[in-house]
Amino acid sequence: MKNNNIDNVEYGAKEIQVLEGLEAVRKRPGMYIGSTSTRGLHHLVYEIVDNAIDETLAGFCDKVSVEILPDNIICVRDNGRGIPVGIHPKLKIPAVTVVFTVLHAGGKFGGSGYKVSGGLHGVGSSVVNALSEWLIVRVFDGNNVHEQSFKRGIKASELISAPDSSPRGTEIKFKADPEIFNETCEYDFGILANRLREQAFLNAGLEIFLSDKRSEEKQEVFKYDGGISKFVEFIQKKRGLDSIHKDVIHFSGDLENETASVEIALQFNNSYGEIMVSFANNIHTTDGGTHEDGFRSALTRVVNSYARQFGVLKELDKNFIGEDVREGICVVISVKIQNAQFEGQTKSRLGNSEIRTLVDKIVFENFKVYLEENPAPAKLIMEKILAAASAREAARKARDLVRRKSAMESASLPGKLADCQSKDPAETEIYIVEGDSAGGSAKGGRDRRFQAILPLWGKMLNVEKARLDKVYGNEKLMPVITALGCGVSEDLDISKLRYHKVIIMADADVDGSHIRTLLLTFFFRFTRDIIEAGHVYIAQPPLYRVKKSKSKEHYYVFSDSERDEILKQLGGQTEVQRYKGLGEMDSEQLWETTMNPETRTMLQISLEDAATADETFAILMGEKVEPRREFIEQNAKYVVNLDV
Ligand code: TSJ
């Protein structure tokens, strides 16, 4: 019987070196893969897939498949040349064995050398091997299969060859070591799908197949011949943004010595935010870097130069600033560099200064030509930028005005505010009410000693809604700001908040949900402290009044199931009144059901943690209703019969 027991193997000097390397990885896995949580677990897959993608970059592979097998075993295959199996001249063992056992052994032996290699790639295979309970590599060369297995990074068999006519390629199967990944070894299909989709966008034409065979089979194929242009379309679609011009604009270029290449895709959409996603050697540079800087600088200069040349800006007009020019832009930048320098704590900022110049040059030259040759989209883009600049100017004026007023302590309360008698914020409440008629009922029904009513009137324009970022110019929100008295953003002073309960009261329909979302978004963005301090609530008006016929006995109910329950209990003849809006209730009913602290139900809005909420903000601002609704549901918790 063949002895595979590693304990009985005698080690030479080079094996000892290998073991020390592996031990270091197993001792401090976080140093090599970031963490041993679910993130680190998924990182194992990326490390392996990156090697196959390097083979794609080298021009020898156009298909990669990733399978999640039962028991969370991962199988990755490509149709590349296959990891070389020849004997390594120095180490005297097969090259493929080196790849999986020697720390930092990159994929760049053999010397065929491609123009651009993934800066951090090709070095992770031994790390994955060290952190796997077992790993099997199979290299198919068209005539034979060469197979070797490992346990916890240590060779468990020699490289064995057998005839096999399968097409060329590499296959890696591995099982993450539960001793290392002691939180979870369970892969998430969605997480892998997102990362693989991204890689498919970044490598135009590459087909990436993902399947999940753990229970009910799931599978997806990612292949984008349009590359990052399709990425731009995908991002905008996902966020519910509509582009203002038809085609995605695409530029590319190289350094003359071919040590770097740049690709940029962009489109303007009907939103007011800026989406910039950048990559260096297929690695997401979340902290930006020289490629982003070069892009921004060139974009602003091109737009100003075009605007001057074609009279969009008149002689006396000031230049557009970067913010104006990037309003509503969605851009993906992908650079590939021979020696990428990653900087910063998380190594997610590109530092190569030659890339700033390169991107700047490509964007400046190509975007200028694009605008000149495509007058129709150029006009739409210029109009958008012009609107951004005037909105910025209007917001600045409004803001200066507010600041001047509050500096003189004469910021008067909004005319529509029906204030309460008490001036003690600890005991007072403000109801922000949508609609004049509801505002009327609320004014009639309130306890004026401690309850103030601020009706919001008029339908909010879409422009104003999205321009929430320019709050000072917003006619609907200005009364809210002045009524609360605590200022916003950098001027926010929560000690000046005039009411410790800020209650949003709107109908239980789509319009009502819009206004709730809008106000919550506003509070989150500009007065986040008051949410965190638990001052923001949503009123819960009833949906129905259920009454026993010919009797005074009646109940207000807040859901369909509650209604059915009460109807069953009452039996006999009953009457059900449905409240379509707050306006259908008279003052007394509104007090009794929604405003009386003794009997009302309110939702207290909490932000579990600012970071998660910040991410969700994009969803709140987006056009799609469903993700927003989910957000509100997730961030609101029930509070019944609050004490005053
Ligand atoms: F597919 C995969 F993801 F499982 C995977 C593929 C995993 C790993 C660790 C490596 C690979 C891989 C490596 N696919 N293709 C290659 N190619 C090479 O390693 C290779 C082949 C030939 C030559 C040459 O110069 O002839 C050079 C290299 C680097």
Side-chain angles (χ1 to χ4, degrees), residues 507-535:
D507 293 339
D509 59 9
V510 179
D511 282 349
S513 132
H514 276 160
I515 193 74
R516 275 189 293 275
T517 302
L518 174 74
L519 285 167
L520 285 185
T521 307
F522 162 69
F523 289 136
F524 169 70
R525 187 110 186 221
F526 294 98
T527 62
R528 190 180 300 176
D529 292 357
I530 76 168
I531 300 185
E532 280 180 341
H535 293 311

Side-chain angles (χ1 to χ4, degrees), residues 48-49 51-52 55 76-78 81-84 100 107 109-110 112 125 170 172:
I48 294 299
V49 169
N51 287 282
E55 186 72 354
V76 183
R77 278 192 211 108
D78 74 10
R81 291 167 296 177
I83 306 177
F100 285 98
F109 46 83
S112 81
S125 316
T170 304
I172 314 290

Side-chain angles (χ1 to χ4, degrees), residues 497-564:
L497 181 64
R498 299 179 63 244
Y499 316 89
H500 280 187
K501 287 200 174 66
V502 178
I503 304 160
I504 303 168
M505 185 156 73
D507 293 339
D509 59 9
V510 179
D511 282 349
S513 132
H514 276 160
I515 193 74
R516 275 189 293 275
T517 302
L518 174 74
L519 285 167
L520 285 185
T521 307
F522 162 69
F523 289 136
F524 169 70
R525 187 110 186 221
F526 294 98
T527 62
R528 190 180 300 176
D529 292 357
I530 76 168
I531 300 185
E532 280 180 341
H535 293 311
V536 180
Y537 299 83
I538 291 181
Q540 298 289 288
L543 287 181
Y544 304 98
R545 188 171 81 137
V546 179
K547 190 173 163 294
K548 212 176 162 95
S549 295
K550 300 186 194 99
S551 148
K552 285 217 155 136
E553 192 179 345
H554 65 266
Y555 300 89
Y556 294 102
V557 300
F558 297 83
S559 70
D560 288 3
S561 58
E562 204 183 341
R563 173 200 61 194
D564 298 341

Side-chain angles (χ1 to χ4, degrees), residues 32-104:
Y32 298 86
I33 53 159
S35 79
T36 54
S37 64
T38 180
R39 238 190 126 135
L41 180 77
H42 290 82
H43 203 98
L44 298 180
V45 183
Y46 311 155
E47 285 289 348
I48 294 299
V49 169
D50 283 354
N51 287 282
I53 290 178
D54 276 358
E55 186 72 354
T56 303
L57 289 173
F60 298 102
C61 157
D62 63 3
K63 282 196 177 71
V64 177
S65 116
V66 178
E67 290 173 308
I68 315 169
L69 303 174
D71 207 18
N72 286 293
I73 290 159
I74 294 287
C75 180
V76 183
R77 278 192 211 108
D78 74 10
N79 66 346
R81 291 167 296 177
I83 306 177
V85 294
I87 300 296
H88 192 279
K90 284 223 183 72
L91 301 175
K92 316 283 187 214
I93 52 172
V96 61
T97 312
V98 177
V99 167
F100 285 98
T101 53
V102 180
L103 203 53
H104 294 309

